[in-house]
Amino acid sequence: MTTNVANGVNEPEKIENDAEDIVDPWTVVSSSDKGVDYDKLIKRFGSSQIDQELKDRFEKVTGKPVHHLLRRGIFFSHRDMHSILNQYEAGKPFYLYTGRGPSSNSMHLGHLIPFILCKWLQDVFDVPIVIQLTDDEKCLWRDIKLEEANKMAYENAKDIIAVGFDLNKTFIFSDLDYVGQCPEFYRNMIRIQKCVTFNQVKGIFGFGDSDVIGKISFPAVQAAPALSTSFPDIFAGKKIPCLIPCAIDQDPYFRMMRDVAPRIGFQKPALLHSTFFPALQGAKTKMSASDPNTTIFLTDTPKQLKNKINKHAFSGGQTTVEEHRERGGNCDVDISYQYLTFFLEDDDQLEKIKKDYTSGALLTGELKKILIDTVTPILQTHQERRAKITDEVLKEYMTPRKLGYNY
Amino acid sequence: MTTNVANGVNEPEKIENDAEDIVDPWTVVSSSDKGVDYDKLIKRFGSSQIDQELKDRFEKVTGKPVHHLLRRGIFFSHRDMHSILNQYEAGKPFYLYTGRGPSSNSMHLGHLIPFILCKWLQDVFDVPIVIQLTDDEKCLWRDIKLEEANKMAYENAKDIIAVGFDLNKTFIFSDLDYVGQCPEFYRNMIRIQKCVTFNQVKGIFGFGDSDVIGKISFPAVQAAPALSTSFPDIFAGKKIPCLIPCAIDQDPYFRMMRDVAPRIGFQKPALLHSTFFPALQGAKTKMSASDPNTTIFLTDTPKQLKNKINKHAFSGGQTTVEEHRERGGNCDVDISYQYLTFFLEDDDQLEKIKKDYTSGALLTGELKKILIDTVTPILQTHQERRAKITDEVLKEYMTPRKLGYNY
């Protein structure tokens, strides 16, 4: 077995679209101001587009309008979502799994995106969610002590809870704590580690001979929560299908898991993939917590937010007011407009902003003000909610336990 | 870092003495009827001989005669044993760690050897011991299901307890259960996995690109018990030095760990290495549970034992009685004599047997009878003790808990 587990590609999948875009779990870089070419990424990764038919079916099955993150193509790609909808239509259970690598004490605006969709999916489908904090990964990849990464995991968990997840349907866990609390999780790690060779992780993740052995076996840790038996308290040992909403750079882990799952008697996990949340400076890179200037943290004050957007948000407008009025702005590269597609829920208002900015009727400063006015209350509400999450509440969410479902 | 962690050797350490002996954790083969050349192995591994000076110091420090397994050079090599004796002389604590890979429901005679010495060390030094059952390893290396390997671990634990370990000083654990019961163990695994590259495990263990990732990271699991903080119930988070008695084929794991330990703030583990327990057919290979004809199981009846020795034990004698009386036998290759060095405690009697067999006064049949008469009561006593080990007793030994020491 020397071929790639997922799609038969033999070379390392440092995905390069036109030798320009790089997309893997550690790097997202595009040469285009418009960002990564997602159509090409779908072809290269072998996933399916979230097309109108799927969105219509979503609405038919749930009886609710589809979330704007799906409506607008921010979640744009999937694997086996129809199977999950079949499952739901047949009255059978599934569960959600998503995660976060805790690399800083404060999460940023982009980190919210998968959690916002997950919260909506939890409400609409009434399903449990497991949320993995890969503090072990952060230690292995970065110069961070275990204690420090573990502390950040708990800080990040507060931000995640503040998105509004139902305590009765949500289990959040740190790898450094949970693996050592759950023999079934470790057993699933071993089952997965037995099915994947060094050649395969080399092909999928680009690992090399000088990588530490912790990195090489880590993909099994991120894959294990896609098996319901990794959570005996929740699923009582039953095999329940899993749906994983995540940014598309995390897909390699789950392509690997989709290859392994049937070999160890499980259904392949389904996926919903999001685009990346662009950096303030432009869509060539995604927002990153390690560069404060490109990043709006969930802890930023209204003043910091305003300053960052006004100073750093890449503009699609023209250099002078006169020129802008005449030629109009370019929404495809304008970061303020891009952010509004993530956070402004009203479609009509968004459409009008696009029209006015493109025509030149709306100036860059005005567009930035709309973004500031949209995001400020989101940040403030988040901060208020987060402030109420005591250590006791945090502990409840992070305690392995039965949730509000009888499996 | 492409060099071997332990001793700067760059090529894979499939140790070949004179290109003839192969010694690694999975293979022990010699081309000589006398078995592996241990003097050459000491040079190649870079360990130290257990010389008379060390044995004298053992006796001086403990006030007791040294165990015959040490006296007769069955434990023949060590690393840092003087540091452990210094520690003991200074009234400071240390602990023992040994282990077993549970590959069959019944252990064989050779498996007893490290445990017999450990039990003696436990008594003489009054120290705790942790005993690892690597059921995860057996799943990764062989076509064995987790549940099956785990069951064998518990069966083997009964054989180990029957050697006579003090409940108050002994913790036995299965990896498949304990890793998922102890966050600190998993954290130490990650700490170790962060210090060792694929190149290094390739150099030390000969792993290749087509090996599964579980094998590649497994050395960290076998190394973790050498850190006292992996057992918070016993050592309360304190850093206590570790002494590992084991067969010398397991040394690669601990050479690796001796390189890692100082980098993560621990003392290097000390080691006592034993020779291999030869197969019935001769010292070219060690006794292996996977070949019933070469093996005396701890479950064998007196009749089975007698038949196996009479039929299969390689003889150093001559083909006819006349020739034997005239030319004498060769104790260096005679398996019955070799086994007596492991199990017959009386030095004078052993010396006389050697003299008589070498001179031809003692015939092969007579020598075999002495061996049968020596091993039969050992097996019977073992079986009687093992029969008394109920599941409740087993559970006590295998429950993470405080032992009879205040750290």
CSV table of all heavy atoms in Angstrom, one decimal, chain A residues 178-210:
chain,number,residue,atom,x,y,z
A,178,TYR,N,-8.8,14.2,27.6
A,178,TYR,CA,-9.8,13.2,27.3
A,178,TYR,C,-9.2,11.8,26.9
A,178,TYR,O,-9.7,10.8,27.3
A,178,TYR,CB,-10.8,13.7,26.3
A,178,TYR,CG,-12.0,12.7,26.0
A,178,TYR,CD1,-12.9,12.4,27.1
A,178,TYR,CD2,-12.2,12.1,24.8
A,178,TYR,CE1,-13.9,11.5,26.9
A,178,TYR,CE2,-13.2,11.2,24.6
A,178,TYR,CZ,-14.1,10.9,25.6
A,178,TYR,OH,-15.1,10.1,25.4
A,179,VAL,N,-8.2,11.9,26.1
A,179,VAL,CA,-7.6,10.6,25.7
A,179,VAL,C,-7.2,9.7,27.0
A,179,VAL,O,-7.5,8.5,27.0
A,179,VAL,CB,-6.3,10.8,24.9
A,179,VAL,CG1,-5.7,9.4,24.5
A,179,VAL,CG2,-6.6,11.5,23.6
A,180,GLY,N,-6.8,10.4,28.0
A,180,GLY,CA,-6.4,9.8,29.3
A,180,GLY,C,-7.6,9.5,30.2
A,180,GLY,O,-7.4,9.2,31.3
A,181,GLN,N,-8.8,9.8,29.7
A,181,GLN,CA,-10.0,9.6,30.5
A,181,GLN,C,-10.9,8.5,29.8
A,181,GLN,O,-11.9,8.2,30.4
A,181,GLN,CB,-10.8,10.9,30.6
A,181,GLN,CG,-10.3,11.9,31.6
A,181,GLN,CD,-11.2,13.1,31.6
A,181,GLN,OE1,-12.4,13.1,31.5
A,181,GLN,NE2,-10.5,14.3,31.6
A,182,CYS,N,-10.5,8.1,28.6
A,182,CYS,CA,-11.5,7.2,27.9
A,182,CYS,C,-10.7,6.1,27.1
A,182,CYS,O,-10.2,6.3,26.0
A,182,CYS,CB,-12.3,8.1,26.9
A,182,CYS,SG,-13.4,7.1,26.0
A,183,PRO,N,-10.7,4.9,27.7
A,183,PRO,CA,-10.0,3.8,27.1
A,183,PRO,C,-10.5,3.6,25.6
A,183,PRO,O,-9.7,3.2,24.8
A,183,PRO,CB,-10.3,2.6,28.0
A,183,PRO,CG,-10.5,3.2,29.3
A,183,PRO,CD,-11.2,4.5,29.1
A,184,GLU,N,-11.8,3.8,25.4
A,184,GLU,CA,-12.3,3.5,24.1
A,184,GLU,C,-11.8,4.5,23.0
A,184,GLU,O,-11.7,4.2,21.9
A,184,GLU,CB,-13.9,3.6,24.1
A,184,GLU,CG,-14.5,2.3,24.5
A,184,GLU,CD,-14.0,1.1,23.7
A,184,GLU,OE1,-13.7,1.2,22.5
A,184,GLU,OE2,-13.9,0.0,24.3
A,185,PHE,N,-11.5,5.7,23.4
A,185,PHE,CA,-10.9,6.7,22.5
A,185,PHE,C,-9.5,6.2,22.1
A,185,PHE,O,-9.1,6.2,20.9
A,185,PHE,CB,-10.8,8.1,23.2
A,185,PHE,CG,-10.5,9.2,22.2
A,185,PHE,CD1,-11.5,10.0,21.7
A,185,PHE,CD2,-9.2,9.4,21.8
A,185,PHE,CE1,-11.3,11.0,20.8
A,185,PHE,CE2,-8.9,10.4,20.9
A,185,PHE,CZ,-10.0,11.2,20.4
A,186,TYR,N,-8.7,5.8,23.1
A,186,TYR,CA,-7.3,5.3,22.8
A,186,TYR,C,-7.4,4.0,21.9
A,186,TYR,O,-6.6,3.9,21.0
A,186,TYR,CB,-6.6,5.0,24.1
A,186,TYR,CG,-5.2,4.5,23.8
A,186,TYR,CD1,-4.2,5.3,23.2
A,186,TYR,CD2,-4.7,3.3,24.2
A,186,TYR,CE1,-2.9,4.9,22.9
A,186,TYR,CE2,-3.5,2.8,24.0
A,186,TYR,CZ,-2.6,3.6,23.3
A,186,TYR,OH,-1.3,3.2,23.1
A,187,ARG,N,-8.4,3.2,22.2
A,187,ARG,CA,-8.5,2.0,21.4
A,187,ARG,C,-8.8,2.3,19.9
A,187,ARG,O,-8.3,1.7,19.0
A,187,ARG,CB,-9.6,1.1,22.0
A,187,ARG,CG,-9.1,0.4,23.3
A,187,ARG,CD,-10.3,-0.4,23.9
A,187,ARG,NE,-9.8,-0.9,25.2
A,187,ARG,CZ,-10.1,-2.1,25.7
A,187,ARG,NH1,-10.9,-2.8,25.1
A,187,ARG,NH2,-9.6,-2.4,26.9
A,188,ASN,N,-9.7,3.3,19.7
A,188,ASN,CA,-10.0,3.7,18.4
A,188,ASN,C,-8.7,4.3,17.7
A,188,ASN,O,-8.5,4.1,16.5
A,188,ASN,CB,-11.2,4.7,18.3
A,188,ASN,CG,-12.5,3.9,18.4
A,188,ASN,OD1,-12.6,2.7,18.1
A,188,ASN,ND2,-13.5,4.6,18.8
A,189,MET,N,-7.9,5.1,18.5
A,189,MET,CA,-6.7,5.6,17.9
A,189,MET,C,-5.8,4.5,17.4
A,189,MET,O,-5.3,4.5,16.3
A,189,MET,CB,-5.9,6.4,19.0
A,189,MET,CG,-6.4,7.8,19.3
A,189,MET,SD,-5.7,8.5,20.8
A,189,MET,CE,-3.9,8.3,20.5
A,190,ILE,N,-5.7,3.4,18.2
A,190,ILE,CA,-4.9,2.3,17.8
A,190,ILE,C,-5.5,1.6,16.6
A,190,ILE,O,-4.8,1.2,15.6
A,190,ILE,CB,-4.7,1.2,19.0
A,190,ILE,CG1,-4.0,1.8,20.1
A,190,ILE,CG2,-4.1,-0.1,18.5
A,190,ILE,CD1,-2.5,2.0,19.9
A,191,ARG,N,-6.8,1.4,16.6
A,191,ARG,CA,-7.4,0.8,15.4
A,191,ARG,C,-7.1,1.6,14.1
A,191,ARG,O,-6.9,1.0,13.1
A,191,ARG,CB,-9.0,0.7,15.6
A,191,ARG,CG,-9.4,-0.3,16.6
A,191,ARG,CD,-10.9,-0.4,16.7
A,191,ARG,NE,-11.3,-1.4,17.6
A,191,ARG,CZ,-11.8,-1.1,18.9
A,191,ARG,NH1,-11.9,0.1,19.3
A,191,ARG,NH2,-12.0,-2.1,19.7
A,192,ILE,N,-7.2,2.9,14.2
A,192,ILE,CA,-6.9,3.8,13.1
A,192,ILE,C,-5.4,3.7,12.7
A,192,ILE,O,-5.0,3.6,11.5
A,192,ILE,CB,-7.4,5.2,13.3
A,192,ILE,CG1,-8.9,5.3,13.6
A,192,ILE,CG2,-7.0,6.1,12.2
A,192,ILE,CD1,-9.4,6.6,14.2
A,193,GLN,N,-4.6,3.8,13.7
A,193,GLN,CA,-3.1,3.8,13.5
A,193,GLN,C,-2.6,2.5,12.9
A,193,GLN,O,-1.6,2.4,12.3
A,193,GLN,CB,-2.4,4.0,14.8
A,193,GLN,CG,-2.4,5.4,15.3
A,193,GLN,CD,-1.8,5.6,16.7
A,193,GLN,OE1,-1.2,4.7,17.2
A,193,GLN,NE2,-1.8,6.8,17.2
A,194,LYS,N,-3.4,1.4,13.0
A,194,LYS,CA,-3.1,0.1,12.4
A,194,LYS,C,-3.4,0.1,10.9
A,194,LYS,O,-2.9,-0.8,10.2
A,194,LYS,CB,-3.9,-1.0,13.2
A,194,LYS,CG,-3.4,-2.4,12.8
A,194,LYS,CD,-4.1,-3.4,13.6
A,194,LYS,CE,-3.7,-4.8,13.2
A,194,LYS,NZ,-4.2,-5.9,14.1
A,195,CYS,N,-4.3,1.0,10.5
A,195,CYS,CA,-4.7,1.0,9.1
A,195,CYS,C,-4.0,2.0,8.2
A,195,CYS,O,-4.3,2.1,7.0
A,195,CYS,CB,-6.2,1.3,9.0
A,195,CYS,SG,-7.3,0.0,9.7
A,196,VAL,N,-3.1,2.8,8.7
A,196,VAL,CA,-2.5,3.9,7.9
A,196,VAL,C,-1.0,3.8,8.0
A,196,VAL,O,-0.4,3.7,9.1
A,196,VAL,CB,-2.9,5.3,8.5
A,196,VAL,CG1,-2.3,6.4,7.7
A,196,VAL,CG2,-4.4,5.4,8.5
A,197,THR,N,-0.3,3.8,6.9
A,197,THR,CA,1.1,3.6,6.8
A,197,THR,C,1.8,5.0,6.8
A,197,THR,O,1.2,6.0,6.5
A,197,THR,CB,1.6,2.8,5.6
A,197,THR,OG1,1.3,3.6,4.5
A,197,THR,CG2,1.0,1.5,5.5
A,198,PHE,N,3.1,5.0,7.1
A,198,PHE,CA,3.9,6.2,7.0
A,198,PHE,C,3.8,6.8,5.5
A,198,PHE,O,3.7,8.0,5.4
A,198,PHE,CB,5.4,6.0,7.3
A,198,PHE,CG,6.3,7.2,7.2
A,198,PHE,CD1,6.2,8.2,8.1
A,198,PHE,CD2,7.2,7.3,6.1
A,198,PHE,CE1,6.9,9.4,8.0
A,198,PHE,CE2,7.9,8.4,6.0
A,198,PHE,CZ,7.8,9.5,6.9
A,199,ASN,N,3.9,5.9,4.5
A,199,ASN,CA,3.7,6.3,3.2
A,199,ASN,C,2.5,7.1,2.9
A,199,ASN,O,2.4,8.1,2.2
A,199,ASN,CB,3.7,5.1,2.2
A,199,ASN,CG,5.0,4.9,1.6
A,199,ASN,OD1,5.7,5.9,1.3
A,199,ASN,ND2,5.4,3.6,1.4
A,200,GLN,N,1.4,6.6,3.6
A,200,GLN,CA,0.1,7.3,3.4
A,200,GLN,C,0.1,8.7,4.0
A,200,GLN,O,-0.4,9.6,3.4
A,200,GLN,CB,-1.0,6.4,3.9
A,200,GLN,CG,-1.2,5.1,3.1
A,200,GLN,CD,-2.1,4.1,3.7
A,200,GLN,OE1,-2.2,4.0,4.9
A,200,GLN,NE2,-2.9,3.4,2.8
A,201,VAL,N,0.6,8.8,5.2
A,201,VAL,CA,0.6,10.2,5.8
A,201,VAL,C,1.6,11.1,5.1
A,201,VAL,O,1.4,12.3,5.1
A,201,VAL,CB,0.8,10.2,7.4
A,201,VAL,CG1,-0.3,9.5,8.1
A,201,VAL,CG2,2.1,9.5,7.7
A,202,LYS,N,2.6,10.5,4.6
A,202,LYS,CA,3.5,11.3,3.8
A,202,LYS,C,2.8,11.8,2.5
A,202,LYS,O,2.9,13.0,2.2
A,202,LYS,CB,4.7,10.3,3.3
A,202,LYS,CG,5.9,10.9,2.7
A,202,LYS,CD,7.0,10.0,2.8
A,202,LYS,CE,7.8,9.7,1.5
A,202,LYS,NZ,8.9,8.7,1.7
A,203,GLY,N,2.0,10.9,1.9
A,203,GLY,CA,1.2,11.4,0.7
A,203,GLY,C,0.1,12.4,1.1
A,203,GLY,O,0.0,13.4,0.4
A,204,ILE,N,-0.5,12.2,2.2
A,204,ILE,CA,-1.7,13.0,2.5
A,204,ILE,C,-1.2,14.3,3.1
A,204,ILE,O,-1.7,15.4,2.8
A,204,ILE,CB,-2.7,12.3,3.5
A,204,ILE,CG1,-3.2,11.0,2.9
A,204,ILE,CG2,-3.8,13.2,3.8
A,204,ILE,CD1,-3.9,10.1,3.9
A,205,PHE,N,-0.3,14.3,4.0
A,205,PHE,CA,0.1,15.5,4.8
A,205,PHE,C,1.4,16.0,4.5
A,205,PHE,O,1.8,17.0,5.1
A,205,PHE,CB,0.0,15.1,6.3
A,205,PHE,CG,-1.3,14.6,6.8
A,205,PHE,CD1,-1.6,13.3,6.9
A,205,PHE,CD2,-2.4,15.5,7.0
A,205,PHE,CE1,-2.8,12.8,7.3
A,205,PHE,CE2,-3.6,15.1,7.4
A,205,PHE,CZ,-3.9,13.7,7.6
A,206,GLY,N,2.2,15.3,3.7
A,206,GLY,CA,3.5,15.8,3.4
A,206,GLY,C,4.6,15.6,4.5
A,206,GLY,O,5.6,16.3,4.5
A,207,PHE,N,4.3,14.7,5.4
A,207,PHE,CA,5.3,14.5,6.5
A,207,PHE,C,6.5,13.9,5.9
A,207,PHE,O,6.5,13.1,4.9
A,207,PHE,CB,4.7,13.5,7.5
A,207,PHE,CG,3.5,14.0,8.3
A,207,PHE,CD1,2.6,13.1,8.8
A,207,PHE,CD2,3.4,15.3,8.5
A,207,PHE,CE1,1.5,13.6,9.5
A,207,PHE,CE2,2.3,15.8,9.3
A,207,PHE,CZ,1.3,14.9,9.7
A,208,GLY,N,7.7,14.2,6.5
A,208,GLY,CA,9.0,13.7,6.1
A,208,GLY,C,9.7,12.9,7.1
A,208,GLY,O,9.2,12.8,8.3
A,209,ASP,N,10.9,12.4,6.8
A,209,ASP,CA,11.7,11.6,7.7
A,209,ASP,C,12.1,12.4,8.9
A,209,ASP,O,12.4,11.7,10.0
A,209,ASP,CB,12.9,11.1,7.0
A,209,ASP,CG,12.5,10.0,6.0
A,209,ASP,OD1,11.3,9.8,5.7
A,209,ASP,OD2,13.5,9.3,5.5
A,210,SER,N,12.2,13.7,8.8
A,210,SER,CA,12.7,14.4,10.0
A,210,SER,C,11.6,14.9,10.9
A,210,SER,O,11.8,15.7,11.9
A,210,SER,CB,13.6,15.5,9.6
A,210,SER,OG,13.0,16.4,8.7
